[in-house]
């Protein structure tokens, strides 16, 4: 056997120069040859560590071996057995914190590109003529309402319809997919992929009701009269602001608004699409997570000359995926570390024109284990800006909690659930994903959906 | 779904639609609004519900054609369906027995004040209404408001009908005549609500206003609608749309309402010119 490369098989992508002028997806994905080459790097460990890093326990060595053998159809089955949204997870999972982190190859060189292989196999399946519809159990006559169509809700819907239960998904927005559709940009997760996954769930015969705000139209209690069980997967949609002087000036957005305008409403295609967005020349994005990277890269594509990340800690503490940071750097996003805004200043018409910042230094580690940023007295400075995007985090949307008596709320506005089952404090109500954990990841939301679906199914069988 | 049962042109560029939306009609309360989208590439925009018609399972929407989206909605005919109508959103008005309530409606703001005024009246309040418009032909719902109020005063900016001047002048007059007023509800252009709040502030008359900020989702997800109330940031779509007028930062509201003026004009111009082109080509066809 020829010695395999210590590096991942590179994935071809649009050049930075070209891609900052369009919203098309950045990486092109592997060809079958590249995928096989990469799959052959896998050592097929006896005790595969990678699986320990996977929140949904995909049989990683198995699907990689199947790819190495060119047996793509089987690899799809292995994958789908545990993960119903591989095309999405392959693109957005923080693999370096999960499966790839534990890969033995990573000790000497780069780990196997598990995420890229996951993506490859999902895209390969999509290119085939028909998507396999798994066997669906005979109807049980039980009805389940799923509130929210993000990854958590879609997973529950998929799993329970397969088991023969009737599922109705209620979604507040006019398009299904949750953050996958309104938050994560096209250049990172093409919307056609999300639509494909939703179509798949619909093919399994789940019903989807859009533009339906649970709590405002029917409450959870009212739905409980019609349904045997309810899963709440309403996400962490409440954007945080810093409540700084001037934060409501024109040109200052929450990341949710900025990204929703651009992704869900397609403001980058204005005036073909009706929703406008302010296209700044000097855009400051506050924060260091995926949401911040997505916003900064969106700003470039909307024509910003300078797109700046303002982050109060240093590079190593940034919570964004490595790939997002690398892409942002390659595209020319400017990073200002150990910097935090303290106020905004506007022109006479109320448009933000200047951001006042303070420099920070790192102190002792805080609860999150990261070193705490401390402002350096007297280090204030001003910088011109015409658009600011506040991307410092989101908390769970309070709407369901506030309209549903009997739900226990956690410290961070989340709905409290039993980790092993997803059960809430309220009878016949389950919850999972960001609404239960606070803003987390797609794969954790999916995993929570899977656990809740199992528990709901058990419950439905005994009633 | 969302079928237009009835369409009435109330005034130039002001239209009334009765829209069949059974679930919303069953739930909506005075003060609440819906978010509309008229076509696949359309934007989401809020409209306050102006009436409920339980018999028809429908709600009444009244809107002025000010931008592309409302102008497009205006082209819909009876029998057409509106792509998305989401709601009811926002908090409902506080309807209690206050005593005497003055309801002030300016321009298109007369529409949302109507259900509030009816609810206040049926709670047993004495309702004095002041409605106004730029000019006589822009005054809407006069008959309905008259029937539902104990007293009605009308103003027009140009004096073409009722008293010449602003609704706030009439309110000032009532206050100066020492009529006991326990509460004021004012809905209209921000500048009108600001002036009304200024009028009642020295007399400490509780004044409720409904803020028409720019919205996207209408469910508290984006913060586009943020307003400042007593120095605190609130989301108009979930914390409002009604707030204590004495605490509202109206200047900020007006600034924020101007964010997309340029884009709105571009969009409306494009819509009008596309409309002209298409109409011209159909008439051309007919002639040939
Ligand atoms: C910009 C951005 C980038 C991200 N990047 C990554 C990434 O690269 N990798 C990663 O793993 N994670 C990423 N995340 C996080 C990830 O998207 C979320 O953790 C995940 O989507 C949570 O899934 P969910 O199903 O719990 O909720 P959501 O995806 O938030 O979906 C909730 C859905 O419920 C709907 N809803 C809310 N209230 C109601 C109601 N009352 N009635 C009906 N429907 C309602 C909402 O409209 C929404 O559609 C990112 C998040 C954002 C915002
Ligand atoms: S409109 Fe988005 S939060 Fe109010």
């Amino acid at each position: 056997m020829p010695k395999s490369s210590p590096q991942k098989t590179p994935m071809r992508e649009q050049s930075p120069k070209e891609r900052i002028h369009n919203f098309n997806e950045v990486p092109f994905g592997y060809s079958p040859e590249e995928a096989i080459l990469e799959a052959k790097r896998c050592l097929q460990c006896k005790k595969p560590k990678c699986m320990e890093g996977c929140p949904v326990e995909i049989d990683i060595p198995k699907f990689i071996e199947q790819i190495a053998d060119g047996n793509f159809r089987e690899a799809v089955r292995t994958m789908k057995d545990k993960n119903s949204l591989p095309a999405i997870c392959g693109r957005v999972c923080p693999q370096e914190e999960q499966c790839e982190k534990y890969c033995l190859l990573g000790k000497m060189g780069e780990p196997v590109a598990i995420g890229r292989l996951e993506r490859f196999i999902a895209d390969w399946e999509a290119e085939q003529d028909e998507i396999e519809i798994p066997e669906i159990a005979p109807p049980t006559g039980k009805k389940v309402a799923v509130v929210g169509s993000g990854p958590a809700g879609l997973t529950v819907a998929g799993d329970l319809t397969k088991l023969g239960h009737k599922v109705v998904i209620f979604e507040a927005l006019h398009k299904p997919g949750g953050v996958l559709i309104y938050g994560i940009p096209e250049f990172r997760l093409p919307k056609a992929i999300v639509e494909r996954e939703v179509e798949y769930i619909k093919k399994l015969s789940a019903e989807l009701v859009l533009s339906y705000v649970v709590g405002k139209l029917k409450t959870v209690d009212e739905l409980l009269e019609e349904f045997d069980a309810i899963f709440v997967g309403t996400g962490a949609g409440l954007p945080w602001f810093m409540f700084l002087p001037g934060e409501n000036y024109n040109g200052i957005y929450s990341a949710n608004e900025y990204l929703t305008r651009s992704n869900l409403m397609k403001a980058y295609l204005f005036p073909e699409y009706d929703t406008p967005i302010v296209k700044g020349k000097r855009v400051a994005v506050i924060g260091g997570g995926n949401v911040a990277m997505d916003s900064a890269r969106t700003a470039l594509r909307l024509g910003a000359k300078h797109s700046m990340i303002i982050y109060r800690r240093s590079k190593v503490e940034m919570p964004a995926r490595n790939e997002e940071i690398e892409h942002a750097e390659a595209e020319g996003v400017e990073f200002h570390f150990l910097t935090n805004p303290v106020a905004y200043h506007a022109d006479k018409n109320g448009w933000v024109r200047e951001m006042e910042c303070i420099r920070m230094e790192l102190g002792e580690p805080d609860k999150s284990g990261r070193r705490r940023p401390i402002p350096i007295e007297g280090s204030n400075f001003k910088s011109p800006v015409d658009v600011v995007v506040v991307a410092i985090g989101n908390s769970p949307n309070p709407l369901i909690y506030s309209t549903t008596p009997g739900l226990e709320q956690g410290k961070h506005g989340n709905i409290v659930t039993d980790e092993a089952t997803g059960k809430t404090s309220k009878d016949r109500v389950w919850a999972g994903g960001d609404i239960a954990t606070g803003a987390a990841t797609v794969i954790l939301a999916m995993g929570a959906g899977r656990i809740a679906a199992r528990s709901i199914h058990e419950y439905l069988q005994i009633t | 779904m969302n079928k237009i049962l009835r369409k009435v042109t109330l005034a130039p560029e002001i239209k009334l639609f009765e829209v069949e939306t059974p679930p919303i009609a069953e739930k909506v309360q005075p003060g609440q609004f819906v978010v509309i989208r008229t076509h696949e590439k359309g934007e989401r925009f809020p409209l306050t519900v102006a009436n409920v018609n339980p018999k028809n399972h429908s709600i009444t929407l009244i809107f002025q054609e000010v931008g592309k989206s409302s102008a497009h909605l205006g082209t819909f005919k009876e029998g057409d369906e509106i792509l998305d109508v989401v709601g009811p959103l926002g908090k409902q008005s506080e309807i209690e027995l206050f005593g005497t309530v003055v309801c002030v409606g300016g321009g298109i703001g007369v529409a949302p004040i109507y259900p509030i005024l009816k609810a206040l009246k049926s709670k047993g309040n004495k309702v004095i209404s002041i409605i106004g418009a730029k000019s006589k032909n822009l005054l809407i719902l006069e008959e309905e408001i008259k029937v539902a109020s104990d007293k009605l005063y009308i103003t027009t900016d140009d004096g073409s009908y009722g008293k010449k001047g602003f609704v706030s002048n009439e309110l000032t007059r009532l206050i100066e005549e020492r009529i006991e007023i326990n509460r004021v509800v004012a809905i209209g252009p921000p500048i009108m609500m600001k002036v009304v709040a200024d009028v009642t502030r020295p007399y400490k008359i509780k004044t409720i206003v409904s803020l028409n900020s720019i919205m996207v989702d209408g469910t508290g997800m984006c913060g586009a609608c943020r307003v400042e109330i007593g120095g605190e940031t609130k989301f108009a779509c979930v914390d409002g749309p009604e707030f204590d007028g004495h605490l509202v930062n109206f200047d900020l509201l007006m600034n924020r309402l101007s964010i997309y003026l340029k884009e709105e004009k571009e969009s409306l111009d494009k819509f009008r010119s596309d409309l002209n082109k298409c109409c011209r080509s159909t008439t051309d066809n007919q002639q040939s």
Side-chain angles (χ1 to χ4, degrees):
Chain A
M1 201 170 126
K3 202 171 169 304
S4 65
S5 157
Q7 250 90 48
K8 288 180 179 178
T9 309
M11 183 156 56
R12 288 160 293 115
E13 59 181 36
Q14 282 195 73
S15 78
K17 264 215 189 98
E18 180 191 350
R19 72 194 191 219
I20 60 168
H21 300 295
N22 67 55
F23 275 78
N24 301 341
E25 189 174 17
V26 169
F28 295 127
Y30 282 157
S31 66
E33 297 71 32
E34 288 163 333
I36 291 174
L37 188 68
E38 181 62 18
K40 286 190 167 154
R41 289 181 65 226
C42 175
L43 299 174
Q44 290 293 324
C45 305
K46 282 262 149 26
K47 281 199 191 131
K49 287 264 179 225
C50 50
M51 283 176 68
E52 286 172 32
C54 177
V56 296
E57 298 160 357
I58 295 169
D59 194 337
I60 296 169
K62 185 166 161 197
F63 98 80
I64 292 185
E65 190 172 32
Q66 287 161 334
I67 294 179
D69 293 344
N71 201 346
F72 301 151
R73 177 65 70 194
E74 284 304 319
V76 171
R77 291 196 189 120
T78 307
M79 173 66 66
K80 288 236 165 142
D81 185 39
K82 296 285 183 187
N83 183 345
S84 48
L85 308 171
I88 293 167
C89 292
R91 287 173 167 80
V92 305
C93 264
Q95 289 95 2
E96 69 267 19
E97 298 291 327
Q98 302 180 114
C99 49
E100 294 183 17
K101 180 173 170 181
Y102 298 94
C103 175
L104 270 190
L105 283 183
K107 302 257 185 296
M108 287 92 72
E110 286 185 334
V112 176
I114 302 171
R116 293 176 184 176
L117 290 174
E118 178 179 25
R119 168 193 164 134
F120 164 77
I121 206 64
D123 289 357
W124 176 86
E125 190 198 16
E127 280 167 18
Q128 309 311 304
D129 284 344
E130 78 229 72
I131 301 268
E132 254 181 47
I133 298 287
E135 219 173 294
I136 294 178
T140 61
K142 304 282 185 200
K143 282 180 81 180
V144 180
V146 168
V147 189
S149 64
L154 290 178
T155 304
V156 172
D159 285 7
L160 290 178
T161 34
K162 275 188 245 171
L163 291 164
H165 307 299
K166 170 82 198 147
V167 177
V168 183
I169 310 175
F170 295 96
E171 168 56 49
L173 292 171
H174 58 267
K175 268 198 188 157
V179 167
L180 308 178
I181 206 87
Y182 78 73
I184 304 182
E186 177 77 20
F187 54 81
R188 194 146 79 80
L189 179 62
K191 298 309 141 212
I193 292 176
V194 183
E195 280 157 20
R196 197 167 76 208
E197 299 298 351
V198 172
E199 275 315 305
Y200 174 74
I201 304 284
K202 284 209 278 195
K203 271 212 188 105
L204 297 176
S205 76
E207 190 185 333
L208 184 60
V209 182
L210 298 173
S211 298
Y212 194 110
V213 185
V214 174
K216 285 291 178 183
L217 266 174
K218 285 200 172 147
T219 61
V220 167
D221 279 318
E222 285 166 313
L223 288 177
L224 279 172
E225 292 169 15
E226 287 171 53
F227 292 89
D228 298 291
I230 294 186
F231 175 81
V232 179
T234 48
L238 179 70
W240 293 347
F241 285 93
M242 296 168 77
F243 303 113
L244 301 177
E247 204 178 26
N248 294 329
Y249 284 138
N250 294 359
I252 305 186
Y253 287 106
S254 76
N256 273 6
E257 182 184 354
Y258 195 64
L259 294 172
T260 299
R261 283 182 181 274
S262 178
N263 299 322
L264 179 70
M265 307 309 297
K266 300 268 180 286
Y268 64 89
L269 296 174
F270 178 88
E272 184 197 338
Y273 282 71
D274 293 344
T275 304
I277 193 165
V278 180
K279 296 179 175 169
K281 288 285 165 235
R282 283 183 67 89
V283 180
V285 178
I286 320 299
N290 288 325
V291 185
M293 298 307 134
D294 285 344
S295 304
R297 297 173 68 199
T298 295
L300 285 177
R301 285 158 175 79
L302 289 173
K305 289 263 180 311
H306 297 273
S307 175
M308 301 168 278
I309 289 278
I310 312 294
Y311 183 53
R312 61 193 181 132
R313 306 186 203 236
S314 68
K315 184 168 177 183
V316 288
E317 284 90 13
M318 278 207 296
R321 297 172 76 222
N322 286 348
E323 188 184 334
E324 306 320 320
I325 299 171
E326 284 159 17
H327 277 150
E329 280 174 338
E331 290 168 10
V333 170
E334 300 157 27
F335 288 78
H336 299 266
F337 296 113
L338 295 168
T339 307
N340 212 22
V342 290
Y344 300 100
H345 305 287
D347 65 14
K348 64 178 192 324
N349 297 320
W351 282 87
V352 67
R353 287 297 170 251
E354 234 177 19
M355 170 176 67
E356 186 175 335
C357 291
I358 193 164
R359 304 235 183 257
M360 313 290 277
E361 59 191 349
L362 293 179
E364 295 300 307
D366 63 12
K367 273 192 300 213
S368 73
R370 295 175 301 173
R371 293 177 63 194
R372 194 162 64 89
I374 305 166
I376 303 173
E377 204 70 40
S379 66
N380 294 35
F381 66 98
K382 289 181 182 167
S383 174
V385 290
D386 53 9
V387 164
V388 174
V389 181
V390 183
I392 57 164
N394 290 302
S395 35
N397 191 317
L399 185 59
I400 294 291
Y401 171 75
S402 63
T403 54
T404 313
L407 274 186
E408 190 188 336
Q409 195 178 31
K411 270 207 293 289
H412 308 289
N414 55 310
I415 294 178
V416 175
T417 58
D418 172 22
E419 251 180 65
T421 59
K423 268 196 184 124
T424 68
S425 55
K426 192 176 173 78
D427 198 28
R428 297 195 284 139
V429 180
W430 282 254
D434 284 1
I435 185 69
T437 54
T441 61
V442 172
I443 191 76
L444 287 174
M446 253 195 57
R450 175 126 303 168
I451 288 171
R454 205 176 296 155
S455 169
I456 293 172
H457 178 58
E458 276 167 21
Y459 165 78
L460 292 177
Q461 279 176 312
I462 55 164
T463 51
Chain B
M1 272 243 287
N2 310 329
K3 192 158 107 180
I4 298 168
L5 302 179
R6 191 161 62 94
K7 173 179 179 176
V8 186
T9 301
L10 297 180
E13 307 202 330
I14 300 184
K15 306 232 155 96
L16 176 153
F17 281 178
E18 190 183 328
V19 185
E20 188 179 44
T21 56
I24 299 178
E26 195 180 303
K27 283 278 172 162
V28 66
Q29 297 295 325
Q32 291 190 301
F33 63 92
V34 291
V35 164
I36 303 263
R37 206 166 61 108
T38 57
H39 66 115
E40 269 312 325
K41 297 179 178 178
E43 64 183 335
R44 298 168 63 100
F45 64 100
L47 288 178
T48 307
V49 176
N51 206 5
V52 190
N53 323 287
K55 237 184 28 232
N56 295 343
H57 308 287
S58 65
I59 58 174
T60 301
L61 301 173
I62 296 177
F63 60 95
Q64 187 160 21
E65 295 172 11
V66 283
K68 143 121 201 231
S69 297
S70 47
H72 182 234
L73 186 61
T75 63
F76 281 51
K77 295 186 277 303
E78 282 179 6
D80 288 350
E81 292 185 358
I82 303 174
L83 183 60
D84 297 318
V85 181
V86 195
L89 300 170
K91 291 195 171 141
Q92 61 191 80
S93 313
E94 199 187 342
I95 307 291
E96 299 288 335
L97 182 56
F98 299 110
T100 300
V101 184
V102 178
C103 292
V104 188
I108 192 75
V110 173
I113 209 114
Y114 177 55
I116 300 173
L117 163 164
K118 277 201 301 184
L120 285 167
K121 178 77 190 148
S122 62
K123 260 274 167 189
N125 291 286
K126 177 172 177 200
V127 175
I128 301 175
S129 298
I130 307 172
I131 61 172
K134 279 208 177 87
S135 186
K136 180 180 177 186
N137 63 344
L138 291 170
L139 190 75
I140 57 170
L141 299 186
E142 180 188 348
E143 261 320 298
E144 288 85 346
I145 305 257
K146 191 169 173 181
V147 172
S149 324
D150 292 285
K151 243 179 166 1
L152 169 66
Y153 301 100
I154 294 174
T155 65
T156 49
D157 297 7
D158 62 1
S160 53
Y161 192 60
K163 267 230 181 93
K164 180 173 160 80
F166 302 117
V167 282
S168 48
N169 302 139
E170 281 301 278
L171 179 63
T172 310
R173 181 179 62 79
L174 294 182
I175 294 174
E176 281 169 357
E177 285 174 9
R178 306 205 171 229
I179 291 177
E180 186 181 314
I181 301 173
N182 304 95
R183 195 183 184 89
V184 170
V185 182
I187 308 182
I191 185 69
M192 177 213 108
M193 295 190 282
K194 181 181 181 186
V195 174
V196 167
D198 287 342
V199 167
T200 56
R201 190 175 285 111
Y203 303 95
K204 300 201 169 57
I205 304 170
K206 179 94 167 183
T207 300
I208 301 298
V209 296
S210 177
L211 305 185
N212 55 335
S213 47
I214 293 174
M215 295 187 184
V216 182
D217 60 302
T219 66
M221 183 271 271
C222 75
C225 61
R226 58 200 198 278
V227 289
E228 259 172 47
I229 311 297
E232 267 184 54
T233 297
K234 299 276 180 201
F235 289 3
C237 71
V238 284
D239 301 320
E242 293 181 12
F243 294 100
D244 181 340
H246 295 154
L247 299 178
V248 172
N249 181 343
F250 283 104
D251 295 334
L252 181 84
L253 176 70
M254 288 186 261
N255 276 343
R256 290 189 60 83
L257 283 170
S258 74
I259 297 180
Y260 302 107
L261 283 185
K262 199 177 87 222
E263 288 83 358
E264 277 162 21
K265 184 172 179 315
E266 184 185 343
S267 200
L268 184 62
D269 289 348
K270 179 171 175 290
F271 175 69
R272 293 231 163 103
S273 90
D274 290 352
L275 207 64
N276 275 341
K277 264 186 242 153
C278 102
C279 293
R280 209 174 309 130
S281 65
T282 42
T283 36
D284 288 353
N285 285 347
Q286 279 162 1
Q287 281 165 355
S288 59

